Amino acid sequence: ELSNELIETERRLFDSTANGGFTKILLRLRTNVLAFRKTVQGSDSVLRKLLERGGTLFPVGEFHAQVEDIIGHSKDIREFLENDKDSVGALYDAHLALVSYRTNQATKTLTALAFVIFPANLVAAIFSMRAAHMPLLGRPGDFWMMLATIFATMAAIVWFLKRKKWL
């Protein structure tokens, strides 16, 4: 059941519809694997001590083969759990890389947006100054010329960012 849950979690990792709850699922799965490993870890020594010291309480010879069989199965389970632990670790690393990639993409988009908006704000701020000899001000269509200057600045920045493949 634990391995099936691990496979399902792996499938969901790269699903584009996965939300922030994925981290909780992954951490719960990691905790389950570690708790199961802790539970199984001491079973071999307990069974071996039972074989060594249990002879005084009941006939151990009759159960020796079954106990050895149980110890073998316990070893198999520990190997599966070790494999699951490695898989959960790899999934966690992949999840962190994916989150980091998405964060970088969002930061890149916001930075590009700032590069487009800031120069437009600068041009608008310059035209809003009350200087004695401002070019374009007071002429017919001055508003449209200022607007065209702002949009031309924005378009030039967008063109530059696309040319550099930053957008």
Side-chain angles (χ1 to χ4, degrees), residues 1-9 29 33 80-81 83-84:
E1 183 180 327
L2 195 58
S3 294
N4 291 338
E5 189 174 352
L6 185 63
I7 291 168
E8 175 63 22
T9 303
L29 186 60
V33 168
F80 284 128
L81 287 172
N83 195 15
D84 286 349

Side-chain angles (χ1 to χ4, degrees), residues 112-148:
L113 184 63
F115 270 114
V116 170
I117 301 272
F118 179 71
N121 277 344
L122 181 63
V123 171
I126 290 171
F127 280 121
S128 69
M129 291 181 186
R130 297 283 180 204
H133 303 289
M134 285 294 292
L136 301 177
L137 292 180
R139 294 184 180 183
D142 58 353
F143 172 77
W144 298 111
M145 285 188 265
M146 287 186 286
L147 203 57

Side-chain angles (χ1 to χ4, degrees), residues 36-57:
F36 197 25
R37 281 183 71 215
K38 277 183 186 177
T39 303
V40 172
Q41 203 157 18
S43 64
D44 286 358
S45 62
V46 170
L47 290 171
R48 293 213 185 274
K49 285 180 184 178
L50 180 68
L51 284 177
E52 291 172 9
R53 300 178 187 161
T56 59
L57 301 174

